[in-house]
């Protein structure tokens, strides 16, 4: 839908960044999703990334929206499938 509007407005759709899916995530969002797939809590992700739990929560909300996922469990499953199984 967004691509259709961009194309209708005359923008080059091929040059636009993805707005959904794994390729739409920022490097920080990708790192947060990967840490989530490894089983870390929000507090542990915050500690590892040098930020706050609230910042991690904000990243997760953006990830949920971009991946069109409605919750932590589904994101954990999707991220585990995307990144592979965490080491034992």
């Amino acid at each position: 839908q967004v691509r259709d509007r961009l194309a209708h407005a005359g923008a080059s759709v091929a040059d636009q960044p993805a707005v959904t899916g794994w390729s739409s995530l920022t490097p920080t969002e990708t790192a947060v999703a990967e840490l989530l797939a490894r089983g870390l809590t929000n507090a542990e992700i915050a500690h590892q990334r040098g930020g706050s739990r609230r910042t991690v929560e904000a990243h997760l909300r953006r990830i949920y929206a971009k991946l069109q996922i409605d919750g932590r469990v589904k994101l954990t499953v999707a991220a585990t499938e995307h990144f592979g199984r965490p080491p034992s």
Side-chain angles (χ1 to χ4, degrees):
Q1 195 175 32
V2 171
R3 288 180 178 269
D4 291 341
R5 281 187 265 153
L6 287 170
H8 183 63
S12 173
V13 177
D15 296 336
Q16 301 301 318
V19 292
T20 60
W22 288 102
S23 62
S24 71
L25 299 184
T26 66
T28 299
E29 291 166 348
T30 301
V32 168
E34 190 167 10
L35 292 170
L36 182 88
R38 291 185 192 171
L40 274 67
T41 65
N42 289 2
E44 291 168 333
I45 294 169
H47 179 75
Q48 180 129 357
R49 301 280 310 157
S52 72
R53 182 184 51 79
R54 300 276 302 207
T55 300
V56 171
E57 291 168 0
H59 288 306
L60 289 172
R61 283 191 300 275
R62 286 190 298 276
I63 294 167
Y64 297 149
K66 288 180 179 182
L67 297 181
Q68 301 173 337
I69 290 176
D70 63 355
R72 186 182 189 90
V73 172
K74 289 181 182 177
L75 177 56
T76 302
V77 170
T80 301
E81 290 173 357
H82 181 74
F83 297 113
R85 295 272 177 224
S88 301

